[in-house]
Amino acid sequence: MAFDLDLIQRYYSSLADQLETVRAKLNRPMSLTEKILYTHLYNTGDLKEFQRGGDYVNFSPDRVAMQDATAQMALLQFMQAGKDKVAVPSTVHCDHLIQAKVGADDDLKTAISTNKEVFDFLSNVSNKYGIGFWKPGAGIIHQVILENYAFPGGMMIGTDSHTVNAGGLGMVAIGVGGADAVDVMAGMPWELKFPKLIGVKLTGKLNGWTSAKDVILKVAGVLTVKGGTGKILEYFGEGAENISCTGKGTICNMGAEIGATTSLFGYDEKMRAYLRGTERADVAEAADKVAAHLTGDPEVYAAPEKYFDEVIEINLDELEPHINGPFSPDKAWPISEFARAVEENGYPRDLEVGLIGSCTNSSYEDITRAASIAQQAVDKGLKVATEFTITPGSEQVRYTVDRDGLLDVFGKIGGVVLANACGPCIGQWARHNADKEKKNSIITSFNRNFAKRNDGNPNTHAFVASPEIVTAMTIAGDLTFNPLTDSLTNEKGEQVKLEEPRGIEMPAMGFSVEDNGYQAPAEDGSHIDINVAPDSRRLQLLDPFAPWEGEDLTGMKLLIKAEGKCTTDHISMAGPWLRYRGHLDNISNNLLIGAVNFFNKKTNAVTNQLTGETGEVPETARAYKAAGIGSIVVGDENYGEGSSREHAAMEPRHLGVRVVLVKSFARIHETNLKKQGMLGLTFADKDDYDKVREDDTISVLGLRKFSPENNLLVRLDHADGTTDEFEANHTYNETQIAWFRAGSALNLIRMQNQ
Ligand code: SF4
C-alpha cells in the first residue's frame, strides 16, 4: 500500500525546478542533506546560504509521526487549534506502553486492558482529525514508518528520538518534542538551527560476522555521545551502496546515541529494492525519475572535506564486529579486544539475558542472520545458556518470519518471542528472576544502554551488539566468548564452532501479513466526539489558557529563584511522572521539584509568601493561583536546556506562573514558553539576578507597548519597602507577541480559524 503517493509524486515533480532555484542562489555543489533542507523551507522567499550551526531556519516537513506516550499531550494540544484535520500526513503508533513480561500474546492483552483509556483516546482523536492510527501490536513506530511511509528526499519530524531511523530510506527525519509536532500538524513552521554536516565515507564491503550495526557502533566510539550534537551525518561511498536499506536504517537509528540531529543515505539500488519489496514500486518508480536529486552531488562525494564540516572514513573490509558498553553506547570494543575488557574492568562475565529486536535491529535481514546462528546451534547440539528474547519490529516482520519458520528456530534453542513493541528497550520489562540490586550483564541489539534503561537495575551492565553477535553470546552465556575464534562444548561434549551468519535481505516469498494493525481515519471526522472521563487519572482535556488581560503584570510573587543548572528534567521530571503525561493537572505536581532554591539550597522547598511557611513548589504555585496572584520563576544560565518537553512550559502556565526571568535560556524552551503564552525574559544586566529577594513582589511593566524593539521593565518591591527596577531583554517577534496577547499560539490559530 503506497501511502501518500500523491504527496510524494507532487514533491518529486517540482524537485528539479526547486533545486535549480537553490543552485542559482548557492552556486556550488550540494550534499543530499542540503538538498532536502533547502527544498523544505517554510517560506521559500527566505532562501539564502544559511550559516551551518548558526542560523535558525523555518522548515515545512512532509509528515509527522507520534508514539503513544508522547502523542497524548501533542493531540490534546492539537485539539485546541480548532482545525478539522491535520495539515500534513500524520500517524500515531502504539508501542511504548506495552510491557514485556511473559510473551507476545499475553503481554499484548494485558497492555490493551491496562492502557485502554489511552489507546481509545488516541484512536478516536486520530480518527477525527485525519491521523493514521497503528494499534497496539502493529509494531514499533520506526519500523512501521520505514515499511510504509519513509521516502527518499522527504522530511519528517517525529515525537521520538529514534525517528532518525527513516534516514535509511533517504529522509531527513528528526526527533522532536510534542510542541513541534503540534505546530506542523496545525500548519505552522518548524524551526531548527541549520545543522553542521558530517560526511561518513564508507569504503569496502561488510563481510563475515560484521554487520550494519557495527558501522554505527564504530562511529559512536569515534564521535562519542555528544559528537553529533547539532550535526547531520551523511553516509556515502561504495560501502554505503552495499548495505541493505534496513541496515542503513539501523545505522541512522543509532545515530541518536551520538546526539546527531539525524543521519541519512542517498537513494540507491538497495532502497529501490526495499521500496519494491514493501509494495511501493510506484514510489521507487517516481524516485528513479529524479534519482540524481535524491543523493549528494558527485563533486561533494569526490572531495568531501571541501563540503562537509567534518569527514570520517571507515573501511568496511577491515571493520570488526563491535560490542559497546556498559552504561554508555559510545564505549566501543572491537570483539577481538572485548574479552580482555571484560576481565580488566571486572564486568560480570556470566551473561544473564540476550535480547534481540527493537526498532534498531528487527528487519527480515536481522532476524535471518540471527536465526542462521540459532539454526547452527540446533544442528550442532547447542542451546542458549541464558534467557533469550526476540522482539519483532512490526507485525509484518513477525508474520513473515513466523511464516518462514524462523521463530520456530529461535524457539528450539529456548528463545521467547515478545510483543511487537518497545518492551524491554524502554524499561517496560518485568524481568523475572532478577535481583534488583545484583551486578549482572545482559546483551541486546537495541540502541541505548544507560544505567537502568532496560530493567531499572543500576547494576545491570547492558552491552549493545548486532543481533547475530547477541545470539552467539547468548548461546555461550559468557561475555568473554568470541564467536569468530572460539569453540563451544555441545550436548555430546564435543567442541563445535559457529560459522559466519547468513542473512536474506528480503523474503523470497515477499512480505505478508494478515492484519497489519492499521486504522485509517474517517473521511469526515466532524461527527466524532472525543470523550475523556472527568475522573480519569491519565487524561485530561485542556482548557485554553486565558488571553493577556491588556495590563502590565503587577503584584506577582516569586515562586522560586532557581540556582545553577535547571534543565527541562528539573522543571518537569520524568520517571514515574510520565504516567501522567496526558493529564496536565496531575503531571503539574512535579513542577520544578528538581530545581535548587537559591535561598536555602534545597530542592522542592520554597517560601509561601502568603503564609510565610516553607512548602513544595507545585503546592505553593497552586496557593498563589487560588488566591488570584500571578507568580514568577527566576533562573540562572541556560535555563530549560535538555530535551524539548512541552510539559516544562505547560505546567508553569497551568499553575499560574506568568513570567520566567533568567540569565539565559536554552532556545527551544524559550520558544516553548512563548507558545504557551508566557513571558520568557532575560536580565539585561545579569547581575540584577542578585537583586531578587525571597519575599519580593514583582511587576513587569511596559506591556502595552510590547514590541520586538523595546525592552520591558522589571520592578521588585522588597518586603522592607525598598524597590529595585531594571530592564529585561526579550526575543519576541510580532507573531510571538500575538501569541502572548492571545494567551497561547494555539489560541491564536483557533481565533484565526474562526
Ligand atoms: S524500540 Fe527502543 S529505541 Fe526503539 S522506539 Fe522503542 S523504546 Fe525507542
Side-chain angles (χ1 to χ4, degrees), residues 96 140-142 160 162 358-359 422 425-426 447 453:
H96 280 59
I140 305 173
I141 175 168
H142 312 304
D160 187 275
H162 293 97
S358 89
C359 67
C422 299
C425 183
I426 188 69
N447 42 38
R453 163 99 178 167

Side-chain angles (χ1 to χ4, degrees), residues 514-534:
E514 237 165 42
D515 173 7
N516 66 1
Y518 178 66
Q519 169 193 292
E523 273 300 314
D524 172 7
S526 56
H527 61 283
I528 298 168
D529 292 326
I530 308 297
N531 296 315
V532 167

Side-chain angles (χ1 to χ4, degrees), residues 529-605:
D529 292 326
I530 308 297
N531 296 315
V532 167
D535 59 350
S536 168
R537 301 284 302 150
R538 293 181 67 181
L539 291 169
Q540 181 187 43
L541 294 177
L542 298 172
D543 288 325
F545 293 129
W548 175 53
E549 48 276 70
E551 302 289 335
D552 282 338
L553 302 181
T554 56
M556 293 178 290
K557 297 295 180 195
L558 177 72
L559 178 60
I560 183 170
K561 178 170 165 177
E563 183 182 59
K565 217 177 185 34
C566 192
T567 67
T568 47
D569 219 34
H570 295 92
I571 303 169
S572 175
M573 276 200 177
W577 293 98
L578 293 184
R579 181 173 173 74
Y580 299 122
R581 62 203 310 168
H583 195 297
L584 182 56
D585 195 54
N586 282 350
I587 200 168
S588 292
N589 288 329
N590 75 359
L591 175 67
L592 283 156
I593 60 177
V596 175
N597 180 359
F598 172 88
F599 299 104
N600 59 13
K601 314 299 175 202
K602 292 183 181 163
T603 54
N604 205 17

Side-chain angles (χ1 to χ4, degrees), residues 55 138 167 299 559 603 662:
D55 286 333
E299 298 90 328
L559 178 60
T603 54
V662 299

